Amino acid sequence: MSKEVITGAEALMRSLEHNGVKTIFGYPGGSIMPVFDALYDHKDSLNHILVRHEQGAAHAAEGYARVSGDVGVCLVTSGPGATNTITGVADAMIDSTPIVVIAGQVGTAFLGSDAFQEVDLVGITQPISKWSYQIRRAEDVAWAVARAFYIAKSGRPGPVVLDFAKNAQVETTEYEPLSVDFIRSYVPVPDTDPQSLQDAAALINASSKPLVLVGQGVELGNAQVELRTFIEKADLPCGCTLLGLSALPSDHPLNKGMLGMHGNLGPNVKTNESDVIIAVGMRFDDRVTGNLSTYAKQAKVIHLDIDPAEINKNVKADVAVLGDCKQTLKQLTELVVPKDHKEWVDSFGEYEKTENEQVIEKEIHPANGPLRMGEVVRAVSEATHHQAILVTDVGQNQMMSARYFKYSRNRSIVTSGGLGTMGFGLPAAIGATFGRPDRTVCVFMGDGGLQMSIHELGTIMEQESPVKIILLNNNFLGNVRQWQAMFFHHRYSFTPMMNPDYVKIASAYHIPGESVFRREDLKKAIERMLATDGPYLLEVGVIEEGNVLPMTPPGGSVNEMLLDC
């Protein structure tokens, strides 16, 4: 029986469907036009979301992937369309987010001739993607798409880029769907050495001051239950990285808060008191470790990770446990003995009390003065019963919302961690509403970050995407201003912001909204926002020169956090 003969563009559509794709974020153009023409006949099965900028397509795909656990997909044209996605590709790479970027390319006859809107996309993206491949023949489409999805979602997830030459889109080929579950020389999940588990368990069983560092790998590996079983059996207190915050409920008694430069005092200080550190699915980022020369020198380090490249990259591991943490945590739990570390766990309390008195209460329950970011974040979290998905932009809004939002469900924080991409928040929130339409999505943004992607209000308008936008407006590029205040003698070089009327702009996009500047008006405004079907913009005027505290100063040690400045 002969196979059906179809165009390369049609083969792409069927290959996407075969891989379970339901949603695509994209923007059409000349070199991808045959694909968009084929998409016209697949509108019932493939929901294409027209963004307003290709960078928005990549970030929306990231947001979709982060909350759903599926691969996010974006579809763009060649040249500037493709290069506009580069920031999203880099962002997805460093934050281990599975997306597939499909970009048009000039025909193979024109490659290397500086043809109109030609760019070497494979050359550009190879260093910042898991795999980058140019499709030059229609017969290679099904093969390339199958590999792309397998690579993107297997092992340590990440972005894949397919550069789709125009001639391959219009040429015909015999088609049959393909699936891939093996690629020679690609080992997504390394074998676990049984001895490493024995060695790790021995260190944990002998420890009197253990500390678990919970990373996003727990979320990516769907190992949340295994984590809880592990820490509860051995009575292990935890600190969570920024991207790992929702892997463990905020109110879990062994969850001692956020690690990092603006994290909680206890887990940071206690890092340099612990005798055994168990790092699970985290990469010892510099914002977590501070000064590496003084980081946890007293501790034995156990590092559980799926990516061998992370072992000994920043912090030397005494025991490296390679493998999928969903499996290695389960195996390790069988080997550790039940313990009671009450004295050690309770010792975090003095730091919690200090931070609460000197920082937290002043931020969420200020006696007077302007509204503060922390109190707005906490009020929104409480109004959603801590059930919402938190999306953030980058800056003070990011750190404040990560600190003061509470998490009760998995995959509940979407933020740009490793790359720190301003403008990420709004399109990522759009993607999140499609990835989890059953959940409330709240995005906290600063006035600077919103203006970097404000055009995506058009996408929200067209899709009626129910994004709840909370704009924390301090009329500054707040994070840079804080550093200028602390380390550059208050020389505010180009950080004050002249802002437009955001509520009027939202109104022009048929998005309801309001501005709040008084504390007594905040609660009712939040209630109106959450009661509104569809999108809403809540602009909150907050203190202009507020600071995110605690803070580990640049080059400082994790036990040298500042509580005031």
Side-chain angles (χ1 to χ4, degrees):
M1 182 176 177
S2 61
K3 300 171 186 176
E4 187 177 4
V5 176
I6 58 175
T7 66
E10 177 65 19
L12 175 63
M13 296 298 102
R14 298 194 191 184
S15 296
L16 292 176
E17 291 170 345
H18 179 66
N19 281 276
V21 175
K22 299 283 194 301
T23 304
I24 302 171
F25 304 91
Y27 204 96
S31 289
I32 199 69
M33 205 172 296
V35 169
F36 273 86
D37 185 66
L39 180 59
Y40 192 85
D41 295 324
H42 292 259
K43 289 187 290 186
D44 291 339
S45 56
L46 294 172
N47 183 25
H48 179 269
I49 311 303
L50 177 65
V51 296
R52 297 311 188 256
H53 191 281
E54 291 91 353
Q55 184 175 339
H59 293 326
E62 287 185 273
Y64 178 93
R66 294 269 282 273
V67 301
S68 69
D70 296 326
V71 178
V73 179
C74 66
L75 182 64
V76 299
T77 194
S78 64
T83 58
N84 282 343
T85 68
I86 298 302
T87 299
V89 173
D91 193 278
M93 185 65 177
I94 200 166
D95 282 350
S96 304
T97 305
I99 65 172
V100 172
V101 176
I102 303 165
Q105 180 58 279
V106 301
T108 55
F110 297 97
L111 289 172
S113 69
D114 292 331
F116 179 67
Q117 293 191 334
E118 180 195 0
V119 70
D120 181 6
L121 186 61
V122 171
I124 292 170
T125 57
Q126 275 184 334
I128 55 170
S129 64
K130 280 191 74 176
W131 187 51
S132 185
Y133 180 77
Q134 188 172 76
I135 303 174
R136 297 187 176 194
R137 304 182 306 172
E139 62 197 75
D140 294 333
V141 171
W143 173 89
V145 172
R147 287 172 66 97
F149 277 81
Y150 175 61
I151 291 170
K153 66 185 177 183
S154 60
R156 181 180 182 174
V160 169
V161 177
L162 294 179
D163 191 35
F164 198 0
K166 195 168 185 179
N167 63 284
Q169 299 172 39
V170 298
E171 292 168 358
T172 58
T173 183
E174 292 183 336
Y175 174 78
E176 66 175 333
L178 294 178
S179 297
V180 169
D181 58 10
F182 171 79
I183 297 174
R184 190 177 61 182
S185 79
Y186 172 56
V187 183
V189 182
D191 293 333
T192 302
D193 180 1
Q195 186 60 49
S196 70
L197 292 165
Q198 296 285 345
D199 294 343
L203 286 177
I204 295 168
N205 291 337
S207 171
S208 60
K209 296 180 178 180
L211 179 62
V212 178
L213 310 184
V214 179
Q216 188 193 196
V218 175
E219 296 267 58
L220 296 174
N222 297 311
Q224 299 90 349
V225 172
E226 288 77 9
L227 173 72
R228 290 183 65 166
T229 304
F230 171 62
I231 65 173
E232 288 169 1
K233 180 179 181 180
D235 199 26
L236 307 171
C238 300
C240 298
T241 68
L242 175 64
L243 296 184
L245 280 172
S246 64
L248 190 64
S250 299
D251 62 359
H252 193 286
L254 291 172
N255 187 346
K256 299 305 175 183
M258 185 169 81
L259 299 162
M261 176 177 281
H262 290 297
N264 294 108
L265 187 61
N268 281 284
V269 172
K270 289 292 184 178
T271 296
N272 276 12
E273 295 180 22
S274 171
D275 59 0
V276 172
I277 286 175
I278 307 107
V280 185
M282 55 88 71
R283 58 189 179 85
F284 288 107
D285 174 70
D286 61 285
R287 291 297 170 109
V288 165
T289 65
N291 187 343
L292 277 172
S293 68
T294 61
Y295 181 76
K297 294 303 177 183
Q298 78 296 334
K300 296 292 185 181
V301 176
I302 302 166
H303 194 171
L304 283 71
D305 211 285
I306 201 169
D307 186 356
E310 291 300 337
I311 305 299
N312 299 325
K313 186 178 79 174
N314 295 321
V315 173
K316 185 180 184 304
D318 294 278
V319 178
V321 180
L322 290 172
D324 183 341
C325 66
K326 189 173 182 67
Q327 301 304 320
T328 56
L329 279 173
K330 182 179 179 180
Q331 294 168 314
L332 191 56
T333 302
E334 294 172 354
L335 297 173
V336 298
V337 298
K339 294 290 286 286
D340 181 352
H341 293 294
K342 185 177 187 306
E343 184 178 350
W344 167 242
V345 173
D346 288 349
S347 71
F348 285 77
E350 61 180 287
Y351 294 101
E352 292 169 2
K353 184 173 182 292
T354 297
E355 183 180 354
N356 194 59
E357 290 175 351
Q358 297 189 32
V359 178
I360 294 175
E361 279 300 309
K362 294 177 182 178
E363 184 65 33
I364 64 173
H365 296 126
N368 49 49
L371 284 159
R372 305 186 73 91
M373 288 189 184
E375 68 176 307
V376 178
V377 173
R378 181 60 59 83
V380 173
S381 184
E382 290 175 349
T384 64
H385 308 290
H386 312 307
Q387 295 288 310
I389 291 172
L390 167 70
V391 184
T392 86
D393 206 77
V394 168
Q396 286 186 320
N397 65 89
Q398 177 186 35
M399 293 295 100
M400 285 294 197
S401 54
R403 280 179 55 83
Y404 293 106
F405 211 78
K406 295 295 182 182
Y407 312 93
S408 62
R409 302 175 65 179
N410 301 331
R411 293 186 177 270
S412 289
I413 180 168
V414 180
T415 189
S416 174
L419 199 63
T421 305
M422 287 181 68
F424 171 90
L426 197 59
I430 294 169
T433 64
F434 286 96
R436 287 302 302 268
D438 57 318
R439 297 186 63 186
T440 299
V441 176
C442 296
V443 56
F444 288 85
M445 311 192 71
D447 41 313
L450 177 55
Q451 292 200 72
M452 285 197 173
S453 57
I454 198 167
H455 43 270
E456 296 305 336
L457 292 175
T459 307
I460 292 174
M461 172 185 66
E462 183 172 348
Q463 300 297 328
E464 299 181 350
S465 181
V467 179
K468 309 304 182 186
I469 306 164
I470 302 97
L471 170 60
L472 302 173
N473 191 349
N474 59 8
N475 297 300
F476 270 103
L477 297 175
N479 213 42
V480 182
R481 183 216 55 78
Q482 178 171 337
W483 282 52
Q484 288 173 335
M486 296 177 70
F487 310 117
F488 292 89
H489 311 290
H490 292 86
R491 290 160 58 88
Y492 293 158
S493 179
F494 300 99
T495 47
M497 294 281 289
M498 179 177 287
N499 283 304
D501 187 327
Y502 290 105
V503 174
K504 284 185 177 179
I505 291 174
S507 177
Y509 286 100
H510 307 294
I511 297 172
E514 61 183 295
S515 298
V516 173
F517 299 95
R518 300 190 307 170
R519 187 163 285 110
E520 56 267 32
D521 297 331
L522 179 62
K523 182 178 179 181
K524 290 294 185 183
I526 293 172
E527 289 175 356
R528 285 189 291 272
M529 174 182 71
L530 295 175
T532 300
D533 290 333
Y536 199 93
L537 171 68
L538 177 60
E539 178 187 22
V540 184
V542 296
I543 185 170
E544 288 195 346
E545 297 192 44
N547 292 322
V548 186
L549 295 166
M551 179 180 182
T552 303
S557 299
V558 290
N559 58 342
E560 297 174 342
M561 298 192 84
L562 303 175
L563 296 177
D564 200 359
C565 59

